């Protein structure tokens, strides 16, 4: 347990776990006895909190109200579908570039369409956090639903920060994709207007993935949770982010020659990374209430 969170735990009070300023799991004794455990990802994705009544042989998941669960299902389905389609279109764009089945404008158009789906998936992922049911520390062990919101500012929550950085990454990619339609650019302009936003977007994706691991692992270092669907979703998406970064580095245009570092690695990195995001979206369809 992180030292800061360990200092919060007492025999009488709640026990908090996480990394740095982030609390990702909280355990306490409700007034009626027993134990209640709130975990960030299950609460916001599936709308559940674990409760073990006093004297009971095993715990059970207590769900939020039906209205909240319906909201979570719809948001999850929309975000997952957007990532599936966005990844598929990015993979198609990379295939066009690799196998030469279309011109540069066609390739850029397919990438741009995929980017729109990534933008949608990123924002809806943020909405999932903004509108997730909240816990009541020290309460009876239930989740409370607030009114619908289109935005919030909660940087002290690791789930909010992870999804916000993800959404910001998709917006930076949008700049890269729009600039890719420009023609007649010199090498310096290509690297500044197209390549630099690509690298920044990939870096934001990697940061978002690391924060998602913090939420699941309840610590700063990555962990292995082979039985956790949320862990697999995060791991597959993070692999996609790594492949995107490899692709971006290989797509740097050498000023001396005007050629890419390695066009094949750039195309294949994008294709395989996009496949990971589509696979992560498919898995996310099953992480629902």
């Amino acid at each position: 347990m992180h030292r800061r969170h360990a200092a919060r735990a007492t025999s009488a009070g709640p026990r908090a776990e996480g990394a740095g300023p982030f609390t990702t799991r909280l355990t306490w004794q409700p007034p009626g006895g027993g134990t209640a455990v709130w975990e960030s990802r299950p609460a916001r994705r599936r709308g559940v909190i674990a409760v073990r009544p006093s004297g009971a042989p095993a715990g059970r998941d207590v769900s939020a109200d039906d209205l909240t669960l319906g909201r979570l299902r719809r948001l999850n389905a929309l975000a997952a579908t957007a990532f599936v389609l966005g990844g598929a279109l990015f993979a198609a764009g990379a295939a066009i570039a690799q196998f030469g089945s279309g011109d540069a404008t066609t390739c850029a158009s397919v990438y741009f369409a995929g980017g729109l789906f990534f933008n949608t998936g990123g924002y809806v992922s943020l909405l999932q956090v903004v509108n997730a049911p909240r816990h009541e520390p020290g309460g009876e062990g239930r989740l409370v639903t607030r009114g619908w919101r289109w935005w919030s500012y909660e940087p002290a929550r690791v789930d909010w920060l992870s999804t916000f950085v993800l959404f910001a990454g998709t917006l930076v990619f949008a700049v890269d994709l729009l600039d890719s339609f420009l023609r007649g650019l010199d090498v310096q302009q290509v690297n500044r207007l197209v390549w630099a936003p690509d690298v920044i977007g990939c870096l934001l994706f990697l940061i978002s993935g690391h924060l998602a691991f913090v939420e699941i692992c309840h610590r700063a270092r990555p962990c292995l949770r082979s039985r956790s669907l949320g862990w697999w979703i995060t791991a597959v998406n993070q692999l996609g982010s790594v492949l995107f970064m490899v692709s971006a580095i290989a797509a740097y245009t050498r000023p001396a020659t005007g050629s890419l570092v390695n066009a094949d690695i750039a195309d294949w990195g994008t294709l395989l990374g996009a496949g990971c995001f589509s696979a992560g979206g498919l898995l996310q369809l099953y992480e629902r209430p």
Side-chain angles (χ1 to χ4, degrees):
M1 185 188 300
H2 192 278
R3 184 180 300 174
R4 177 168 178 171
H5 288 86
R8 297 183 191 175
T10 67
S11 58
R15 180 165 61 92
E17 299 170 76
F22 304 120
T23 297
T24 57
R25 180 162 58 197
L26 192 64
T27 305
W28 72 94
Q29 291 185 345
T35 305
V37 181
W38 167 87
E39 286 192 60
S40 175
R41 190 169 181 111
R44 71 179 176 89
R45 284 294 185 90
R46 298 191 292 111
V48 297
I49 188 170
V51 175
R52 181 174 182 176
S54 180
R60 59 185 176 88
D61 286 341
V62 176
S63 298
D65 59 84
D66 291 340
L67 178 64
T68 300
L69 296 182
R71 176 192 295 176
L72 293 179
R73 291 189 191 100
R74 289 189 295 272
L75 288 173
N76 186 70
L78 182 56
T81 302
F83 284 124
V84 170
L85 295 176
L89 286 168
F90 257 68
I96 292 172
Q98 175 65 23
F99 301 112
S101 56
D103 58 21
T105 301
T106 300
C107 183
S109 299
V110 174
Y111 276 136
F112 184 72
L116 292 177
F117 281 107
F118 275 130
N119 293 152
T120 302
Y123 179 59
V124 176
S125 296
L126 184 59
L127 285 179
Q128 285 182 283
V129 173
V130 170
N131 293 287
R134 310 302 173 96
H135 66 290
E136 293 183 317
E140 290 292 345
R142 64 187 183 92
L143 294 171
V144 178
T145 304
R146 299 180 179 180
W148 176 265
R149 293 186 294 172
W150 293 101
W151 167 253
S152 71
Y153 182 69
E154 303 174 83
R157 292 178 57 187
V158 70
D159 52 349
W160 184 93
L161 193 59
S162 175
T163 53
F164 175 77
V165 172
L166 173 67
F167 180 48
T170 67
L171 294 180
V172 175
F173 273 132
V175 175
D176 160 38
L177 296 171
L178 281 173
D179 289 345
S180 66
F181 284 100
L182 300 175
R183 297 291 174 259
L185 302 177
D186 59 31
V187 172
Q188 288 75 18
Q189 290 173 323
V190 169
N191 285 334
R192 184 176 70 254
L193 298 176
V194 179
W195 181 80
D198 189 15
V199 171
I200 294 171
C202 292
L203 180 60
L204 291 173
F205 271 33
L206 287 169
I207 293 172
S208 172
H210 175 72
L211 292 172
F213 272 123
V214 169
E215 181 186 21
I216 290 174
C217 300
H218 313 298
R219 66 187 192 191
R221 302 187 310 278
C223 62
L224 177 62
R225 300 282 189 269
S226 60
R227 296 185 178 181
S228 167
L229 178 58
W231 183 92
W232 279 107
I233 294 169
T234 301
V236 169
N237 285 333
Q238 190 71 333
L239 176 59
S241 298
V242 170
L243 290 169
F244 267 26
M245 179 60 83
V246 170
S247 171
I249 293 172
Y252 178 77
T253 303
R254 295 186 179 96
T257 64
S259 61
L260 302 186
V261 170
N262 192 308
D264 288 337
I265 291 178
D267 292 336
W268 279 106
T270 299
L271 194 155
L272 295 175
C276 288
F277 286 116
S278 280
L282 287 172
L283 292 173
Q284 185 178 330
L285 286 171
Y286 297 94
E287 193 184 24
R288 62 183 186 275

